[in-house]
Amino acid sequence: MGFPKFSLSSTVLLIMVTGLSLRAESTTYWEDVDVLKELKNGLDPGSVSPGSCVSSWDFTVDPCDSLFSERFTCGFRCDVVVSGTSRVTEISLDQAGYAGSLSSTSWNLPYLETLDLSDNFFSGPIPDSLANLTHLRRLGLSRNSLSGQIPAAIGSLSELEELYLDNNNLQGGIPASMNNLVNLKRLELQSNRLAGEFPELGRSLKNLSFLDVSNNAISGNIPASFPSSLVQISMRNNSLEGTMIHDSFRNMGYLQVLDLSHNRLSGFVPAFLFDGALPSLQQLALSFNRFSSLKFPASLGSQSELIAVDLSNNELRGLLPSFMALMPKLSALSFENNKLTGMVPTMYALKAVVPRPGISPLVRLLLGGNYLFGPIPDSLMGLKPGSVNVRLVDNCFFQCPDIFFFCQGGDQKSLTECKSFAPVIP
Ligand SMILES: *[C@@H]1O[C@H](CO)[C@@H](O)[C@H](O)[C@H]1NC(C)=O
Ligand SMILES: *[C@@H]1O[C@H](CO)[C@@H](O)[C@H](O)[C@H]1NC(C)=O
Ligand SMILES: *[C@@H]1O[C@H](CO)[C@@H](O)[C@H](O)[C@H]1NC(C)=O
């Protein structure tokens, strides 16, 4: 920040000490008052309920001077940024039912740091003029009815740390100008209709820790690189395709959550997801894709921090990967609805029932909807319902009686179906 900043309370203190009147000490800059007036006048009158903040805005008094009355401070904040002049530094009118267009306000508030209009009924486009808010650190427009594209001009907000545009009707691409938001820590664009490829942000957004673009129509491959500062990536429910390559996830030492479920990813599930390459990864969600095989890591998962792995609803073939039973923290594993065959590895059953010291037990082991066969592992038979969530339905276990809770809730496949999938199935 290039300007000195004093809080309201220090203004008040100064006034008490010096005995000056508040009005003489601080006057709202006239242009800021004009913007507040525009904002008020631009709202649909029917959406401004009598008890709401905006209805209490009374421009016959100086907004930032009437602080003692608490009449005008509802929904915004002033700070004395230049001696004797108050500037509007925050507008927070979230969850208030306001409707209107953001374009009817000229947004010329050079000292505004926070603009939060989330959970209202604002509609129409995000105007280019928002880019005049060059000191903005937090922009919250979540859960409105905004439409049109994300303006490229948003890249002018170079001090922005948090950007929330989620749950609107925004469409078009994610502008590459987001690369100018070098201080961004949190980017939430989920549940819109954004399309096109996800821009390459890896090199510029060095502080980004949280990225959510789920429930959009992003297409193309996974970006060539992500910011290495990311802790959480959610790109679920888009149209991403191609394979997962290591380069995109290089040096992601902080990544804890990776959710790429409900896309069109294919090829093999790479080994780097299960070894020390992603040393903080705890949750991996790759369900509802088109993966066809899974690679074993050389370390056999012993260095993995993974707690939950969801690979359900893919096209995985081959045997269940026994190395997963060696992953020390793993406690929830789903391979449901794939094309896996072979027997349930004894190690899986043991991890659920009698884990070794220092190894987390499995509390969820979902294997339904495959072509697994053979005897039920002995150790599973003693499990009490409710102790561990195990599912084996819709496989080729011809001896899976309902007395075992993990055989309940569905039938096994027919002998014909099992034989035609794999003649070796007895
Ligand atoms: C604000 O933004 C608009 C549109 O980008 C621009 O035309 C206008 O000159 C800007 N106003 C100020 C005061 O910077
Ligand atoms: C990132 O965050 C650090 C620490 O919070 C800060 O010093 C730095 O200025 C921020 N911005 C960039 C571009 O690294
Ligand atoms: C995917 O996102 C669309 C909106 O983009 C939504 O309607 C749908 O319910 C989502 N599907 C899942 C499985 O989350």
Side-chain angles (χ1 to χ4, degrees), residues 44 98-103 121-126 144-147 168:
D44 293 353
Y98 299 121
S101 156
L102 299 180
S103 309
F121 301 99
F122 287 100
S123 56
I126 299 175
N144 278 284
S145 302
L146 299 168
S147 56
N168 282 288

Side-chain angles (χ1 to χ4, degrees), residues 191-193 214-217 236-237 262:
S191 299
N192 279 290
R193 292 188 283 148
S214 51
N215 303 329
N216 279 291
R236 73 177 260 128
N237 195 18
H262 292 272

Side-chain angles (χ1 to χ4, degrees), residues 182-183 185 204 206-207:
V182 292
N183 289 299
K185 296 188 168 112
S204 10
K206 303 231 179 287
N207 278 354

Side-chain angles (χ1 to χ4, degrees), residues 412-425:
Q412 294 295 319
K413 291 188 164 80
S414 72
L415 185 60
T416 326
E417 191 185 350
C418 291
K419 286 272 187 208
S420 67
F421 179 80
V424 301
I425 294 179

Side-chain angles (χ1 to χ4, degrees), residues 124-341:
I126 299 175
D128 279 354
S129 59
L130 273 188
N132 290 338
L133 302 173
T134 49
H135 281 116
L136 210 57
R137 290 154 73 128
R138 180 162 189 252
L139 176 57
L141 301 174
S142 307
R143 293 174 296 277
N144 278 284
S145 302
L146 299 168
S147 56
Q149 306 208 353
I150 300 175
I154 210 156
S156 312
L157 304 178
S158 59
E159 294 185 16
L160 209 58
E161 292 173 9
E162 296 169 60
L163 178 57
Y164 305 92
L165 303 178
D166 55 282
N167 291 282
N168 282 288
N169 292 317
L170 299 170
Q171 43 185 302
I174 299 172
S177 64
M178 290 230 175
N179 273 299
N180 299 330
L181 308 180
V182 292
N183 289 299
L184 207 59
K185 296 188 168 112
R186 224 178 151 92
L187 178 57
E188 298 202 23
L189 303 174
Q190 68 271 22
S191 299
N192 279 290
R193 292 188 283 148
L194 299 168
E197 294 202 7
F198 192 79
E200 184 65 42
L201 302 177
R203 265 181 226 102
S204 10
L205 304 194
K206 303 231 179 287
N207 278 354
L208 194 67
S209 63
F210 186 97
L211 170 67
D212 193 346
V213 290
S214 51
N215 303 329
N216 279 291
I218 307 293
S219 59
N221 293 317
I222 294 173
S225 68
F226 286 104
S228 56
S229 47
L230 277 164
V231 173
Q232 188 161 338
I233 299 176
S234 181
M235 302 184 85
R236 73 177 260 128
N237 195 18
N238 278 285
S239 302
L240 295 170
E241 56 192 18
T243 54
M244 281 181 80
I245 55 162
H246 190 182
D247 280 358
S248 297
F249 298 93
R250 212 172 272 287
N251 301 322
M252 301 204 67
Y254 305 103
L255 191 66
Q256 292 178 6
V257 178
L258 178 60
D259 187 351
L260 299 172
S261 52
H262 292 272
N263 278 287
R264 296 176 197 158
L265 301 171
S266 58
F268 56 87
V269 178
F272 72 80
L273 296 171
F274 308 108
D275 66 20
L278 294 173
S280 305
L281 193 62
Q282 295 177 356
Q283 288 183 49
L284 175 65
L286 297 176
S287 62
F288 291 93
N289 276 288
R290 296 171 187 173
F291 290 110
S292 54
S293 66
L294 189 148
K295 291 266 198 279
F296 282 41
S299 64
L300 295 179
S302 59
Q303 288 154 26
S304 171
E305 291 286 305
L306 276 165
I307 295 170
V309 172
D310 187 355
L311 287 164
S312 65
N313 297 284
N314 277 284
E315 290 159 24
L316 294 173
R317 289 178 176 265
L319 307 177
L320 283 170
S322 50
F323 79 88
M324 289 208 171
L326 299 172
M327 289 166 47
K329 307 268 173 69
L330 192 69
S331 64
L333 178 61
S334 177
F335 277 113
E336 285 205 302
N337 304 322
N338 278 286
K339 296 191 164 63
L340 296 160
T341 188

Side-chain angles (χ1 to χ4, degrees), residues 1 3-8 28 32 36 64 75-82 85-92 109-116 133 135-138:
M1 297 271 111
F3 48 84
K5 215 178 96 197
F6 304 99
S7 70
L8 267 183
T28 316
D32 290 13
L36 291 172
C64 304
F76 75 100
R77 171 194 159 111
C78 302
D79 282 296
V80 180
V81 290
V82 181
T85 309
S86 288
R87 306 293 307 240
V88 175
T89 55
E90 172 173 347
I91 297 177
S92 292
L109 295 171
Y111 291 90
L112 199 69
E113 292 180 12
T114 297
L115 176 59
D116 187 355
L133 302 173
H135 281 116
L136 210 57
R137 290 154 73 128
R138 180 162 189 252

